[in-house]
Amino acid sequence: MAEPNLLTLAAGVFAILAVASLIGFILKRTISWQKPHAVIDNLNARIKAWWVLVALMLIAFLFGKAGVVLLFAFASFTALREFMTLTPTRRGDHYALAASFFIFLPAQYALVLADQYGIYSVLIPVYAFLALPIIAAFRAETARYMERVAQVQWALMICVFCLSHVPAILNLDIPGFEGGNLLLIAFLIIVVQASDVLQYVCGKLFGRRKVAPNLSPSKTWEGLIGGVGLATLLGAGLWWLTPFTPLVALAMAALIAIMGFFGGLVMSAIKRDRGVKDWGQMIEGHGGVLDRIDSLVFAAPIFFHLTRFFFSVS
């Protein structure tokens, strides 16, 4: 049953993108054909980028577990590079950075691929947490030592550990849902990303009161409530993708949408601290990879562990 559902979902997503592209084209020709219009141009750039992102996700899905793990390993590598590019480092950090990129990152995803939950669930938060300061200490460079080590640890947790919980969903053993775990990943990504888009749209249409003007001036209470509320209803409507009942799907969607908002807020705070608007420029209309997964990295571990717990006790 999972394969027909996946095909139905893919057809629906491409249909939505086609309609969005048509609307963007019409708006461009009717409103901003003579002079640039920031909102419309941004919208069209986002739609073009989403065509590419959705195509990459679909290709990864076609290659099964190995394809999904490889895609998110690449996303982690790129996100970690973006994070560390904007983080002040010294020569004494080079070995710790090398260990993060070339030991802990590939090891984490190799363990996810091998379904070694007992190891990949503690590799970074325990072993990397202890190993990185030891590696840095051997360089005997003490200037701002604690701050430098903490930044590398934080980057590894966010960009690698948290994001690796997306492909780890494929390892969940859910009775009666065998072979359908790809749909759970689709459910997670659709709800989180829809919440982001709907918060942006609701904020532009109805936004008045800022949630945290010093962190993210574009985030408003109206956008937050409208975006999370609509994404929650969307998640309830997509319950057929999951092993959940409509009510449980609604609760899960609400939780991951809210966690996604918190993720965006936290990462915005880091960007403001670094004095930048975006983490990178890799994706036209979206900034860097980390700009697109900042909500997902906070939502994915919560979704993974709650789903795992839900079916372990049910």
Side-chain angles (χ1 to χ4, degrees):
M1 188 170 93
E3 186 174 344
N5 283 347
L6 186 59
L7 293 175
T8 300
L9 177 64
V13 170
F14 280 116
I16 291 172
L17 286 175
V19 172
S21 297
L22 178 61
I23 293 173
F25 175 77
I26 293 172
L27 290 174
K28 180 70 175 176
R29 294 299 298 269
T30 57
I31 297 178
S32 63
W33 65 278
Q34 287 184 325
K35 58 181 180 179
H37 190 288
V39 175
I40 294 175
D41 290 342
N42 181 270
L43 174 65
N44 284 324
R46 285 171 176 264
I47 293 170
K48 290 177 183 177
W50 270 113
W51 276 107
V52 177
L53 295 174
V54 170
L56 288 174
M57 287 296 303
L58 183 59
I59 292 171
F61 280 14
L62 291 175
F63 281 93
K65 183 177 180 179
V68 175
V69 170
L70 184 61
L71 175 64
F72 281 93
F74 173 75
S76 280
F77 185 91
T78 306
L80 186 60
R81 180 184 61 81
E82 290 174 350
F83 195 108
M84 298 314 304
T85 298
L86 297 179
T87 300
T89 57
R90 302 172 68 93
R91 288 176 61 91
D93 301 319
H94 291 179
Y95 288 169
L97 289 173
S100 298
F101 278 98
F102 304 115
I103 297 177
F104 290 114
L105 189 157
Q108 178 73 11
Y109 280 95
L111 291 169
V112 169
L113 183 62
D115 192 10
Q116 297 296 316
Y117 174 80
I119 306 177
Y120 72 69
S121 63
V122 297
L123 176 67
I124 291 175
V126 176
Y127 296 105
F129 179 83
L130 296 174
L132 290 175
I134 294 172
I135 294 171
F138 271 104
R139 297 304 300 270
E141 191 166 341
T142 59
R144 307 180 73 175
Y145 169 80
M146 183 176 292
E147 179 182 342
R148 288 166 25 228
V149 169
Q151 288 177 149
V152 178
Q153 290 172 325
W154 174 254
L156 197 61
M157 281 292 295
I158 289 295
C159 301
V160 181
F161 180 73
C162 289
L163 190 60
S164 71
H165 284 78
V166 179
I169 292 171
L170 296 176
N171 296 329
L172 293 175
D173 184 15
I174 303 175
F177 199 66
E178 291 79 6
N181 291 30
L182 279 174
L183 296 174
L184 269 180
I185 293 179
F187 175 84
L188 169 65
I189 294 174
I190 288 172
V191 171
V192 171
Q193 296 301 323
S195 179
D196 279 355
V197 173
L198 291 169
Q199 285 176 46
Y200 175 80
V201 172
C202 291
K204 287 294 182 182
L205 293 176
F206 312 112
R208 296 292 183 273
R209 293 167 295 178
K210 309 293 185 182
V211 175
N214 292 333
L215 299 183
S216 183
S218 63
K219 295 185 185 299
T220 65
W221 283 108
E222 292 82 2
L224 169 61
I225 295 170
V228 169
L230 291 172
T232 298
L233 293 177
L234 174 64
L238 292 175
W239 68 272
W240 51 275
L241 292 177
T242 74
F244 307 129
T245 64
L247 184 60
V248 174
L250 183 142
M252 284 287 196
L255 182 59
I256 59 180
I258 291 170
M259 287 304 301
F261 169 79
F262 288 144
L265 197 64
V266 169
M267 301 309 283
S268 291
I270 298 174
K271 286 189 288 186
R272 295 299 173 268
D273 177 60
R274 295 288 179 260
V276 298
K277 181 179 180 295
D278 296 317
W279 287 102
Q281 300 298 326
M282 183 176 181
I283 308 172
E284 182 186 0
H286 287 256
V289 169
L290 196 48
D291 291 293
R292 285 300 89 214
I293 64 172
D294 55 3
S295 300
L296 188 61
V297 294
F298 274 62
I302 300 297
F303 182 72
F304 172 87
H305 287 289
L306 280 180
T307 302
R308 186 173 184 272
F309 175 77
F310 183 84
F311 287 103
S312 68
V313 300
S314 60

